[in-house]
Amino acid sequence: MSQASAPKAGENGGLAAALTVLAEEHAALGQLFATFDSRDGRHLVAKALDILHAATGRVIVTGMGKSGHVARKIAATMASTGTPAQFVHPAEASHGDMGMVTSADAVVALSNSGETAELADLITYSRRWCIPLIAITSRRNSTLGNAADVTLALPATGEAGALGLAPTSSTTMMLALGDALALGLLDRKGFSAEDFHQLHPGGKLGQKLLRVADLMHVEKEVPLIAETAPMSQALIEMTSKTFGCVGAVDHKGDLVGIITDGDLRRHMGGDLLAQSVTAVMTAHPLTIATQALAAEAVRIMNEKSITSLFVVDGARPVGIIRLHDCLRAGVA
């Protein structure tokens, strides 16, 4: 075998090791679930949720090293799901950032060993000012575990990999437990998809949650004509608004019909301009509500092969939305 074609050292073993890590972390998550699905575990999680939900300030999430990276993610997840939260670096807290923590807050501290020296000042501060402290650690009887109001102790699984030294299974379990707390609080607060959209206006998630009201044209942009008006006026309104249609309203201002390019072709003749809007329009047009998702409007327009939908409040037209506007906003 030539040197060029020889397998690299550890290539096959590296694949096996990678898959082993996945299997070991999967098993660790299974043990984590079993731990907190027990009677005592459920009680501890419920107590932690009570504390976090009762906090009138922010949830302060802290940790050092790899636990600190996980803590940042937990704080971000909480903040994006309706629980005001922020990460405070424990070492920086000892040098002035302790002022970020108030008596209205609750602290969630992460430390695999429970003996992280940099956490000492923050632990002491929380005890002095009666700030609730929740610990996530692998050692219940550690300094952190003993100081906390609630200690969520991770099961003793050992770290994944042949050496069992790098934080792997422990950080995976911390992350999962943080997600559980964040989404448990989301459920308790009754956080809705609309609330979620307010905190995620950008990116694919924001596009998915856009409402019709966010994209519709309103007021003078909406092509409307009285149902009793002649078609000559309807054509002027239809041409000036460039939606390829005009809505017909009755004496109460309710939408009763629509005139499209197709309706014009079907009624093409010498007397078209003299006819009334009622004679040409298609009654009972498709409409959509302002609070419907823009994705629903796209679905309707695609299914019916149309390019615009009138937006109504009850029966009264309050806007119009175009397929082009939805696609330009990234709604598909």
Side-chain angles (χ1 to χ4, degrees), residues 129-176:
W129 299 107
C130 298
I131 300 169
L133 175 63
I134 296 168
I136 298 179
T137 178
S138 293
R139 295 176 57 198
R140 183 182 303 277
N141 292 320
S142 59
T143 299
L144 174 60
N146 289 329
D149 297 291
V150 176
T151 299
L152 302 178
L154 306 176
T157 63
E159 302 292 5
L163 296 179
L165 298 176
T168 49
S169 296
S170 61
T171 50
T172 297
M173 290 189 289
M174 286 179 177
L175 186 60

Tab-separated table of all heavy atoms in Angstrom, residues 129-176:
chain	number	residue	atom	x	y	z
A	129	TRP	N	-28.144	38.836	50.810
A	129	TRP	CA	-29.297	39.668	50.437
A	129	TRP	C	-30.552	38.852	50.157
A	129	TRP	O	-31.505	39.363	49.586
A	129	TRP	CB	-28.935	40.524	49.227
A	129	TRP	CG	-27.794	41.455	49.512
A	129	TRP	CD1	-26.511	41.364	49.057
A	129	TRP	CD2	-27.816	42.607	50.371
A	129	TRP	NE1	-25.748	42.378	49.558
A	129	TRP	CE2	-26.517	43.165	50.365
A	129	TRP	CE3	-28.817	43.227	51.140
A	129	TRP	CZ2	-26.190	44.299	51.098
A	129	TRP	CZ3	-28.482	44.356	51.863
A	129	TRP	CH2	-27.191	44.894	51.846
A	130	CYS	N	-30.555	37.592	50.589
A	130	CYS	CA	-31.751	36.719	50.462
A	130	CYS	C	-32.236	36.624	49.019
A	130	CYS	O	-33.446	36.679	48.743
A	130	CYS	CB	-32.877	37.225	51.367
A	130	CYS	SG	-32.461	37.217	53.111
A	131	ILE	N	-31.288	36.510	48.097
A	131	ILE	CA	-31.620	36.325	46.682
A	131	ILE	C	-31.712	34.822	46.422
A	131	ILE	O	-30.752	34.088	46.694
A	131	ILE	CB	-30.553	36.966	45.784
A	131	ILE	CG1	-30.468	38.470	46.069
A	131	ILE	CG2	-30.852	36.718	44.317
A	131	ILE	CD1	-29.274	39.144	45.423
A	132	PRO	N	-32.838	34.327	45.940
A	132	PRO	CA	-32.989	32.883	45.717
A	132	PRO	C	-31.881	32.327	44.828
A	132	PRO	O	-31.500	32.949	43.827
A	132	PRO	CB	-34.358	32.762	45.045
A	132	PRO	CG	-35.089	34.002	45.457
A	132	PRO	CD	-34.047	35.075	45.549
A	133	LEU	N	-31.370	31.163	45.196
A	133	LEU	CA	-30.259	30.542	44.475
A	133	LEU	C	-30.618	29.113	44.093
A	133	LEU	O	-30.980	28.304	44.951
A	133	LEU	CB	-29.003	30.547	45.342
A	133	LEU	CG	-27.772	29.816	44.787
A	133	LEU	CD1	-27.283	30.472	43.503
A	133	LEU	CD2	-26.660	29.776	45.841
A	134	ILE	N	-30.530	28.819	42.804
A	134	ILE	CA	-30.759	27.464	42.293
A	134	ILE	C	-29.428	26.949	41.764
A	134	ILE	O	-28.757	27.629	40.978
A	134	ILE	CB	-31.820	27.460	41.175
A	134	ILE	CG1	-33.178	27.921	41.744
A	134	ILE	CG2	-31.941	26.083	40.534
A	134	ILE	CD1	-34.204	28.219	40.681
A	135	ALA	N	-29.036	25.777	42.201
A	135	ALA	CA	-27.766	25.183	41.771
A	135	ALA	C	-28.018	24.057	40.785
A	135	ALA	O	-28.931	23.248	40.968
A	135	ALA	CB	-27.007	24.652	42.983
A	136	ILE	N	-27.205	24.016	39.739
A	136	ILE	CA	-27.163	22.869	38.834
A	136	ILE	C	-25.739	22.333	38.909
A	136	ILE	O	-24.791	22.978	38.457
A	136	ILE	CB	-27.534	23.257	37.394
A	136	ILE	CG1	-28.973	23.793	37.325
A	136	ILE	CG2	-27.394	22.051	36.463
A	136	ILE	CD1	-29.413	24.225	35.940
A	137	THR	N	-25.579	21.169	39.517
A	137	THR	CA	-24.256	20.617	39.800
A	137	THR	C	-24.326	19.096	39.856
A	137	THR	O	-25.409	18.521	40.022
A	137	THR	CB	-23.722	21.165	41.147
A	137	THR	OG1	-22.449	20.583	41.418
A	137	THR	CG2	-24.680	20.864	42.291
A	138	SER	N	-23.181	18.468	39.707
A	138	SER	CA	-23.131	17.006	39.816
A	138	SER	C	-22.942	16.539	41.254
A	138	SER	O	-23.041	15.344	41.535
A	138	SER	CB	-21.981	16.451	38.948
A	138	SER	OG	-22.249	16.659	37.580
A	139	ARG	N	-22.658	17.471	42.164
A	139	ARG	CA	-22.401	17.094	43.566
A	139	ARG	C	-23.357	17.852	44.478
A	139	ARG	O	-23.191	19.041	44.734
A	139	ARG	CB	-20.946	17.393	43.922
A	139	ARG	CG	-19.938	16.558	43.148
A	139	ARG	CD	-18.514	16.978	43.487
A	139	ARG	NE	-18.264	16.875	44.926
A	139	ARG	CZ	-17.250	17.487	45.533
A	139	ARG	NH1	-16.423	18.253	44.842
A	139	ARG	NH2	-17.090	17.350	46.843
A	140	ARG	N	-24.349	17.125	44.971
A	140	ARG	CA	-25.366	17.738	45.833
A	140	ARG	C	-24.739	18.315	47.108
A	140	ARG	O	-25.118	19.381	47.575
A	140	ARG	CB	-26.435	16.701	46.195
A	140	ARG	CG	-27.584	17.264	47.029
A	140	ARG	CD	-28.576	16.169	47.391
A	140	ARG	NE	-29.097	15.504	46.211
A	140	ARG	CZ	-30.102	15.972	45.482
A	140	ARG	NH1	-30.668	17.137	45.802
A	140	ARG	NH2	-30.538	15.304	44.425
A	141	ASN	N	-23.780	17.610	47.675
A	141	ASN	CA	-23.185	18.030	48.948
A	141	ASN	C	-21.907	18.841	48.745
A	141	ASN	O	-20.958	18.742	49.531
A	141	ASN	CB	-22.903	16.811	49.822
A	141	ASN	CG	-24.183	16.142	50.284
A	141	ASN	OD1	-25.148	16.824	50.620
A	141	ASN	ND2	-24.194	14.821	50.280
A	142	SER	N	-21.885	19.639	47.713
A	142	SER	CA	-20.761	20.534	47.460
A	142	SER	C	-21.046	21.881	48.113
A	142	SER	O	-22.127	22.118	48.671
A	142	SER	CB	-20.579	20.722	45.956
A	142	SER	OG	-21.765	21.260	45.383
A	143	THR	N	-20.091	22.786	48.029
A	143	THR	CA	-20.294	24.134	48.568
A	143	THR	C	-21.496	24.803	47.915
A	143	THR	O	-22.357	25.380	48.594
A	143	THR	CB	-19.038	24.996	48.340
A	143	THR	OG1	-17.935	24.389	49.019
A	143	THR	CG2	-19.243	26.406	48.862
A	144	LEU	N	-21.575	24.709	46.585
A	144	LEU	CA	-22.711	25.304	45.872
A	144	LEU	C	-24.003	24.583	46.206
A	144	LEU	O	-25.033	25.208	46.497
A	144	LEU	CB	-22.465	25.258	44.359
A	144	LEU	CG	-23.621	25.715	43.465
A	144	LEU	CD1	-23.998	27.167	43.747
A	144	LEU	CD2	-23.248	25.540	41.978
A	145	GLY	N	-23.955	23.252	46.185
A	145	GLY	CA	-25.163	22.476	46.451
A	145	GLY	C	-25.732	22.717	47.826
A	145	GLY	O	-26.953	22.813	48.014
A	146	ASN	N	-24.863	22.826	48.834
A	146	ASN	CA	-25.323	23.048	50.204
A	146	ASN	C	-25.849	24.459	50.427
A	146	ASN	O	-26.695	24.683	51.291
A	146	ASN	CB	-24.181	22.759	51.187
A	146	ASN	CG	-23.871	21.276	51.287
A	146	ASN	OD1	-24.750	20.437	51.127
A	146	ASN	ND2	-22.605	20.949	51.529
A	147	ALA	N	-25.332	25.431	49.654
A	147	ALA	CA	-25.748	26.826	49.836
A	147	ALA	C	-27.068	27.147	49.155
A	147	ALA	O	-27.772	28.074	49.566
A	147	ALA	CB	-24.653	27.756	49.313
A	148	ALA	N	-27.414	26.387	48.131
A	148	ALA	CA	-28.558	26.733	47.288
A	148	ALA	C	-29.897	26.462	47.976
A	148	ALA	O	-30.023	25.588	48.833
A	148	ALA	CB	-28.483	25.959	45.977
A	149	ASP	N	-30.910	27.224	47.543
A	149	ASP	CA	-32.280	26.977	47.995
A	149	ASP	C	-32.831	25.719	47.346
A	149	ASP	O	-33.619	24.984	47.953
A	149	ASP	CB	-33.163	28.178	47.644
A	149	ASP	CG	-32.714	29.441	48.350
A	149	ASP	OD1	-32.855	29.505	49.577
A	149	ASP	OD2	-32.200	30.348	47.665
A	150	VAL	N	-32.458	25.492	46.107
A	150	VAL	CA	-32.826	24.271	45.397
A	150	VAL	C	-31.589	23.776	44.655
A	150	VAL	O	-30.948	24.543	43.929
A	150	VAL	CB	-33.963	24.508	44.379
A	150	VAL	CG1	-34.249	23.237	43.591
A	150	VAL	CG2	-35.223	24.988	45.080
A	151	THR	N	-31.255	22.512	44.833
A	151	THR	CA	-30.126	21.924	44.124
A	151	THR	C	-30.633	20.867	43.159
A	151	THR	O	-31.242	19.875	43.572
A	151	THR	CB	-29.121	21.288	45.102
A	151	THR	OG1	-28.615	22.303	45.963
A	151	THR	CG2	-27.964	20.642	44.352
A	152	LEU	N	-30.419	21.119	41.881
A	152	LEU	CA	-30.776	20.162	40.838
A	152	LEU	C	-29.513	19.378	40.523
A	152	LEU	O	-28.654	19.829	39.755
A	152	LEU	CB	-31.312	20.888	39.608
A	152	LEU	CG	-32.534	21.788	39.857
A	152	LEU	CD1	-32.944	22.507	38.579
A	152	LEU	CD2	-33.706	20.983	40.407
A	153	ALA	N	-29.375	18.224	41.162
A	153	ALA	CA	-28.151	17.433	41.050
A	153	ALA	C	-28.204	16.523	39.832
A	153	ALA	O	-29.157	15.759	39.648
A	153	ALA	CB	-27.944	16.603	42.314
A	154	LEU	N	-27.192	16.619	39.001
A	154	LEU	CA	-27.102	15.783	37.809
A	154	LEU	C	-26.739	14.360	38.221
A	154	LEU	O	-25.978	14.157	39.180
A	154	LEU	CB	-26.028	16.330	36.865
A	154	LEU	CG	-26.162	17.805	36.450
A	154	LEU	CD1	-24.965	18.204	35.590
A	154	LEU	CD2	-27.473	18.048	35.717
A	155	PRO	N	-27.232	13.349	37.512
A	155	PRO	CA	-26.862	11.962	37.840
A	155	PRO	C	-25.386	11.718	37.560
A	155	PRO	O	-24.784	12.356	36.688
A	155	PRO	CB	-27.754	11.139	36.911
A	155	PRO	CG	-28.121	12.061	35.797
A	155	PRO	CD	-28.195	13.432	36.399
A	156	ALA	N	-24.796	10.811	38.309
A	156	ALA	CA	-23.372	10.502	38.171
A	156	ALA	C	-23.164	9.581	36.983
A	156	ALA	O	-23.229	8.349	37.100
A	156	ALA	CB	-22.853	9.858	39.454
A	157	THR	N	-22.910	10.170	35.826
A	157	THR	CA	-22.745	9.380	34.603
A	157	THR	C	-21.303	9.317	34.131
A	157	THR	O	-20.944	8.445	33.350
A	157	THR	CB	-23.597	9.976	33.466
A	157	THR	OG1	-23.127	11.302	33.186
A	157	THR	CG2	-25.063	10.019	33.857
A	158	GLY	N	-20.473	10.253	34.583
A	158	GLY	CA	-19.127	10.345	34.029
A	158	GLY	C	-19.174	11.056	32.691
A	158	GLY	O	-20.227	11.115	32.036
A	159	GLU	N	-18.051	11.614	32.282
A	159	GLU	CA	-17.996	12.311	31.005
A	159	GLU	C	-17.847	11.310	29.867
A	159	GLU	O	-17.281	10.225	30.035
A	159	GLU	CB	-16.831	13.308	30.989
A	159	GLU	CG	-16.884	14.356	32.098
A	159	GLU	CD	-18.052	15.351	31.949
A	159	GLU	OE1	-18.882	15.187	31.036
A	159	GLU	OE2	-18.130	16.270	32.775
A	160	ALA	N	-18.324	11.687	28.690
A	160	ALA	CA	-18.234	10.809	27.527
A	160	ALA	C	-16.809	10.785	26.996
A	160	ALA	O	-16.001	11.672	27.250
A	160	ALA	CB	-19.196	11.284	26.445
A	161	GLY	N	-16.488	9.742	26.230
A	161	GLY	CA	-15.178	9.633	25.612
A	161	GLY	C	-14.245	8.731	26.388
A	161	GLY	O	-14.473	8.413	27.556
A	162	ALA	N	-13.163	8.338	25.695
A	162	ALA	CA	-12.226	7.371	26.284
A	162	ALA	C	-11.549	7.917	27.530
A	162	ALA	O	-11.373	7.202	28.520
A	162	ALA	CB	-11.180	6.978	25.242
A	163	LEU	N	-11.171	9.195	27.519
A	163	LEU	CA	-10.493	9.771	28.674
A	163	LEU	C	-11.459	10.135	29.782
A	163	LEU	O	-11.105	10.107	30.966
A	163	LEU	CB	-9.691	11.008	28.258
A	163	LEU	CG	-8.528	10.778	27.282
A	163	LEU	CD1	-7.854	12.102	26.938
A	163	LEU	CD2	-7.509	9.813	27.881
A	164	GLY	N	-12.655	10.495	29.420
A	164	GLY	CA	-13.660	10.876	30.418
A	164	GLY	C	-13.285	12.122	31.182
A	164	GLY	O	-13.657	12.268	32.356
A	165	LEU	N	-12.581	13.049	30.527
A	165	LEU	CA	-12.112	14.246	31.211
A	165	LEU	C	-12.790	15.527	30.729
A	165	LEU	O	-13.132	16.389	31.537
A	165	LEU	CB	-10.585	14.378	31.033
A	165	LEU	CG	-9.740	13.241	31.636
A	165	LEU	CD1	-8.276	13.453	31.293
A	165	LEU	CD2	-9.932	13.178	33.139
A	166	ALA	N	-12.958	15.663	29.423
A	166	ALA	CA	-13.537	16.901	28.877
A	166	ALA	C	-15.014	17.000	29.241
A	166	ALA	O	-15.745	15.993	29.193
A	166	ALA	CB	-13.376	16.931	27.359
A	167	PRO	N	-15.479	18.188	29.637
A	167	PRO	CA	-16.908	18.362	29.938
A	167	PRO	C	-17.751	18.034	28.705
A	167	PRO	O	-17.697	18.735	27.691
A	167	PRO	CB	-17.010	19.844	30.308
A	167	PRO	CG	-15.634	20.235	30.737
A	167	PRO	CD	-14.704	19.423	29.879
A	168	THR	N	-18.495	16.971	28.769
A	168	THR	CA	-19.326	16.520	27.641
A	168	THR	C	-20.717	16.143	28.142
A	168	THR	O	-21.657	16.911	28.012
A	168	THR	CB	-18.669	15.323	26.924
A	168	THR	OG1	-18.274	14.345	27.916
A	168	THR	CG2	-17.432	15.760	26.144
A	169	SER	N	-20.825	14.992	28.768
A	169	SER	CA	-22.128	14.554	29.281
A	169	SER	C	-22.678	15.536	30.310
A	169	SER	O	-23.874	15.821	30.332
A	169	SER	CB	-22.019	13.163	29.905
A	169	SER	OG	-21.667	12.212	28.938
A	170	SER	N	-21.790	16.085	31.154
A	170	SER	CA	-22.254	17.000	32.203
A	170	SER	C	-22.824	18.279	31.594
A	170	SER	O	-23.889	18.752	32.010
A	170	SER	CB	-21.105	17.341	33.161
A	170	SER	OG	-20.043	17.987	32.483
A	171	THR	N	-22.151	18.847	30.598
A	171	THR	CA	-22.649	20.082	29.989
A	171	THR	C	-23.898	19.819	29.154
A	171	THR	O	-24.783	20.673	29.066
A	171	THR	CB	-21.559	20.745	29.133
A	171	THR	OG1	-20.992	19.776	28.234
A	171	THR	CG2	-20.456	21.321	30.006
A	172	THR	N	-23.965	18.634	28.533
A	172	THR	CA	-25.175	18.276	27.782
A	172	THR	C	-26.378	18.214	28.721
A	172	THR	O	-27.460	18.716	28.404
A	172	THR	CB	-24.986	16.924	27.071
A	172	THR	OG1	-23.931	17.043	26.116
A	172	THR	CG2	-26.260	16.493	26.356
A	173	MET	N	-26.193	17.613	29.892
A	173	MET	CA	-27.286	17.527	30.854
A	173	MET	C	-27.646	18.905	31.416
A	173	MET	O	-28.822	19.211	31.610
A	173	MET	CB	-26.917	16.560	31.985
A	173	MET	CG	-26.874	15.103	31.555
A	173	MET	SD	-26.684	13.946	32.950
A	173	MET	CE	-24.988	14.268	33.428
A	174	MET	N	-26.643	19.743	31.680
A	174	MET	CA	-26.924	21.102	32.140
A	174	MET	C	-27.762	21.865	31.124
A	174	MET	O	-28.722	22.553	31.476
A	174	MET	CB	-25.608	21.849	32.380
A	174	MET	CG	-24.854	21.451	33.616
A	174	MET	SD	-23.317	22.413	33.735
A	174	MET	CE	-22.680	21.821	35.296
A	175	LEU	N	-27.371	21.742	29.858
A	175	LEU	CA	-28.091	22.444	28.795
A	175	LEU	C	-29.535	21.968	28.712
A	175	LEU	O	-30.469	22.772	28.604
A	175	LEU	CB	-27.375	22.219	27.468
A	175	LEU	CG	-27.893	22.992	26.261
A	175	LEU	CD1	-27.814	24.492	26.499
A	175	LEU	CD2	-27.102	22.618	25.017
A	176	ALA	N	-29.729	20.651	28.778
A	176	ALA	CA	-31.081	20.096	28.709
A	176	ALA	C	-31.916	20.544	29.902
A	176	ALA	O	-33.106	20.884	29.760
A	176	ALA	CB	-31.022	18.570	28.647
